[in-house]
Amino acid sequence: MAVPEGQPTYDPGMRWNDSMGLRPSGGSYGASVAEGAGFKYDEATLHELVKEWTDLAKEYLTDRIEAELIAIAQPPGMEYASGGNAEITRESGNALMTTLDQRASYCESMAKKYAAALGKYATVEEQSVVDINQQPKGIV
């Protein structure tokens, strides 16, 4: 499906800076690493990524609450067609809940990975401070 002329397309480094999501602004995600696959992130970006993945997981869990209403839909009437329609609606609601659970779990996992990277980052920073402080005094 082609994107209509002038419509924004998904770009993982893009920030949407208005309430309607129509004006993208540049992202701050890391630059690619020359020595192989992957990316390098600074501490601020890691914090940003943890927050974004955590917020996205929360959104999926909030949506799941709404999906529960679909999963318990009752027929509007007693006739066969109403009952069959409600049954299909409930099946869709259950499938939606499963999907939202999986997406929330994925986002939580990603947030944990970036939080772990932050821990490693902090450990390296702390070690650097210790190394610098252990330098002989008077040597510049």
Side-chain angles (χ1 to χ4, degrees):
M1 180 172 163
V3 177
E5 185 72 31
Q7 284 285 44
T9 57
Y10 175 74
D11 178 356
M14 191 177 291
R15 295 282 178 272
W16 300 95
N17 62 7
D18 72 341
S19 62
M20 298 297 289
L22 300 175
R23 291 179 293 145
S25 63
S28 63
Y29 291 167
S32 62
V33 179
E35 59 269 6
F39 293 89
K40 283 185 179 179
Y41 298 115
D42 62 10
E43 184 178 8
T45 301
L46 288 171
H47 281 287
E48 180 182 340
L49 288 167
V50 169
K51 182 185 180 322
E52 286 184 12
W53 282 108
T54 301
D55 289 349
L56 188 55
K58 288 177 185 175
E59 286 181 40
Y60 282 130
L61 293 174
T62 300
D63 291 345
R64 190 194 186 283
I65 294 167
E66 298 293 327
E68 289 177 23
L69 297 174
I70 298 170
I72 61 171
Q74 297 300 311
M78 297 301 292
E79 72 278 356
Y80 174 76
S82 291
N85 188 10
E87 182 179 335
I88 297 298
T89 300
R90 286 190 298 271
E91 289 175 11
S92 293
N94 286 321
L96 178 58
M97 286 178 12
T98 299
T99 299
L100 292 170
D101 285 340
Q102 291 169 343
R103 291 181 179 176
S105 177
Y106 177 81
C107 292
E108 289 165 351
S109 172
M110 291 300 293
K112 286 177 185 174
K113 288 178 183 179
Y114 286 113
L118 264 170
K120 291 176 184 176
Y121 186 93
T123 300
V124 169
E125 286 290 312
E126 289 169 10
Q127 186 59 48
S128 296
V129 169
V130 168
D131 291 346
I132 289 170
N133 289 335
Q134 290 178 350
Q135 294 290 324
K137 303 295 184 212
I139 298 177
V140 181

